Amino acid sequence: MKTAEIMANLQAKHPGENEYLQAVQEVLESIEEVYNQHPEFEKAKIVERMVEPDRIFTFRVTWVDDKGDVQTNLGYRIQFNSAIGPYKGGLRFHKAVVPSMLKFLGFEQTFKNALTTLPMGGAKGGSDFDPVGKSNDEIMRFCQAFMTELWNCIGPDQDIPAGDVGVGGREIGYMYGMYKKLAREYNTGVLTGKGATWGGSILRPEATGFGALYFTEHLLKKAGKDIKDKTVALSGFGNVAWGAATKAKELGAKVVAISGPDGVCEIPDGITDEMIDYMLDMRASNRNKVEDMATKFPGKAKFTAGKKAWSVKCDIALPCAFQNELSEDDAKELKANGCWCCCEVSNMGCQPGAIHFFQHNGVLFAPGKAVNAGGVATSGLEMTQNASHISWSAKEVDDKLHFIMESIHEQCVKYGTQPDGTIDYVKGANIAGFMKVATAMLEQGII
Ligand code: 2IT
């Protein structure tokens, strides 16, 4: 395999799909050496097959807003790879959603799911529907309209969507209600992230953030460090940031910044439990403004418009918002301010230049597909509970999540340890995920 050649072909075939091409490039670069030691992979054209989704569903979603006006959006489901299990991955509702974004997310999901130790293939979906400023009724009508098209493409042993940016427990509830009405079956396992009283797993809402902090703990331990009393800057204030802030505080770290598309909130004395609870209200309001935190807690949280969380002095940076949210310049600013660790919690949160800078300037770095895999892993645990018609206690789920995050860290160490003894977590995660998916594809023949 020659990465440059494959990338040139993909670029010609999918011009302008920059996020997708970026995600593929990162993986191919890391696996090239290992791949070339396996002529059987080359013979079966594993890479050429793996970089293309199995199929893409595109559909029109029409709904009526509160003013009575008819609105039309586009909906998608990308079933990327089913070598190791049924398609699994979230739905993203965001105005910037285009096929390239969902293809990058589906591609990443395939490797991430392979790392979880659970049998799940990769998928992603969503819509260019913009939840910002929408009423609860509008959200419900949109979710129902979206599901009238999607329901035929999914199933508990076929494709199991969940939440992502813009899709949380409320949206999953509305979509599940409509799914049930259309399918006339109580297939709880068809969606994950459900409410705890109707099939949802305890700790699923917290799982992405909690898992990210468990991974961070392992990474720090391996580097002879500890999270206690360290300052943490994180971006976003949605579900993932909320879970990360909760666990970081619980482990004794001080969360000194959260951010939003409007700017950053500095919290010099560290985030409080009341502030963490208020993040849920901020998300539910659909205002998408982090400034609301400063308005609610004057004197404790200071808002600066137009600035990112990466401008705040910290030990550990946790991108928890959106792809490419941390640039090379941000990485330099973080390092100049004393930051020595960045665990990417968002999918592809760091631009390639930022990752390169971290890795060559002594900043510990781990990629999203390893760090944030606790979310989808707990979705996998939700599927197991649904399939066996039981529900586990918080302790049972948390113990399993701990085990999974430790195992992901071990896989990164196994495949990412360099001759000089340092660990390249990007390589480690990519090679570990790739080997599992590639081996399964090989064993299942040319399909
Ligand atoms: O990016 C992700 O891993 C998710 N949005 C969660 C997917 C899932 O199926 O729980």
Side-chain angles (χ1 to χ4, degrees), residues 57 79 146-155 158 179 182-183:
F57 298 105
Q79 297 181 336
F146 184 83
M147 189 49 86
T148 57
E149 279 293 331
L150 183 69
W151 81 280
N152 250 318
C153 314
I154 60 176
Q158 184 184 356
Y179 175 86
L182 294 163

Side-chain angles (χ1 to χ4, degrees), residues 265 278 287 289-299 301-303:
C265 263
Y278 189 62
R287 280 169 48 78
K289 286 195 188 328
V290 81
E291 186 176 6
D292 292 354
M293 182 65 86
T295 312
K296 177 83 177 169
F297 298 95
K302 184 173 147 272
F303 175 70

Side-chain angles (χ1 to χ4, degrees), residues 310 313-314 329-340 357-358 363:
W310 322 133
K313 184 176 160 48
C314 65
D329 285 347
D330 295 328
K332 288 178 179 162
E333 188 172 3
L334 279 166
K335 167 85 185 169
N337 283 333
C339 171
W340 46 265
F357 178 82
F358 285 144
V363 178

Side-chain angles (χ1 to χ4, degrees), residues 231-284:
T231 50
V232 172
L234 56 85
S235 59
F237 57 85
N239 170 262
V240 174
W242 165 77
T246 306
K247 189 52 82 176
K249 181 170 182 291
E250 202 183 299
L251 296 175
K254 197 160 132 185
V255 177
V256 293
I258 63 169
S259 69
D262 52 334
V264 64
C265 263
E266 268 182 78
I267 314 166
D269 294 334
I271 204 162
T272 62
D273 290 338
E274 294 72 34
M275 290 177 179
I276 292 174
D277 286 346
Y278 189 62
M279 287 165 90
L280 297 174
D281 295 349
M282 287 161 64
R283 148 93 175 92

Side-chain angles (χ1 to χ4, degrees), residues 88-92 105 109 112-113 120 124 160-165 192-193 204 208 347 372-373 375-380:
K88 179 83 195 90
L91 297 169
R92 177 173 290 194
L105 288 163
Q109 196 81 45
K112 182 199 310 193
N113 292 3
M120 300 183 290
K124 206 81 190 189
I160 305 96
D164 192 77
V165 175
T192 58
R204 175 63 189 89
T208 310
N347 292 309
N372 75 29
V376 72
T378 307
S379 276

Side-chain angles (χ1 to χ4, degrees), residues 215-223 341 343 364-366 409 425:
F215 188 95
T216 306
E217 276 192 299
H218 286 293
L219 175 141
L220 294 183
K221 191 167 163 220
K222 185 88 191 155
C341 173
C343 283
L364 296 166
F365 176 78
H409 184 262
Y425 282 87

Side-chain angles (χ1 to χ4, degrees), residues 93-144:
F93 293 171
H94 189 279
K95 62 177 191 266
V97 162
V98 286
S100 165
M101 193 193 290
L102 300 179
K103 278 171 70 178
F104 117 64
L105 288 163
F107 183 73
E108 290 276 298
Q109 196 81 45
T110 301
F111 297 93
K112 182 199 310 193
N113 292 3
L115 292 173
T116 64
T117 73
L118 303 174
M120 300 183 290
K124 206 81 190 189
S127 173
D128 59 359
F129 170 75
D130 181 6
V132 178
K134 298 293 188 298
S135 71
N136 187 49
D137 285 351
E138 287 175 324
I139 302 263
M140 182 175 74
R141 286 196 295 274
F142 176 78
C143 288
Q144 292 175 337

Side-chain angles (χ1 to χ4, degrees), residues 290-364:
V290 81
E291 186 176 6
D292 292 354
M293 182 65 86
T295 312
K296 177 83 177 169
F297 298 95
K300 288 190 179 153
K302 184 173 147 272
F303 175 70
T304 310
K307 283 272 187 188
K308 294 186 187 178
W310 322 133
S311 62
V312 176
K313 184 176 160 48
C314 65
D315 296 305
I316 299 168
L318 299 179
C320 295
F322 216 57
Q323 69 268 10
N324 290 328
E325 56 173 310
L326 200 157
S327 68
E328 185 172 343
D329 285 347
D330 295 328
K332 288 178 179 162
E333 188 172 3
L334 279 166
K335 167 85 185 169
N337 283 333
C339 171
W340 46 265
C341 173
C342 173
C343 283
E344 190 182 60
V345 194
S346 44
N347 292 309
M348 208 167 78
C350 295
Q351 295 179 16
I355 299 176
H356 192 260
F357 178 82
F358 285 144
Q359 290 183 327
H360 290 87
N361 288 275
V363 178
L364 296 166

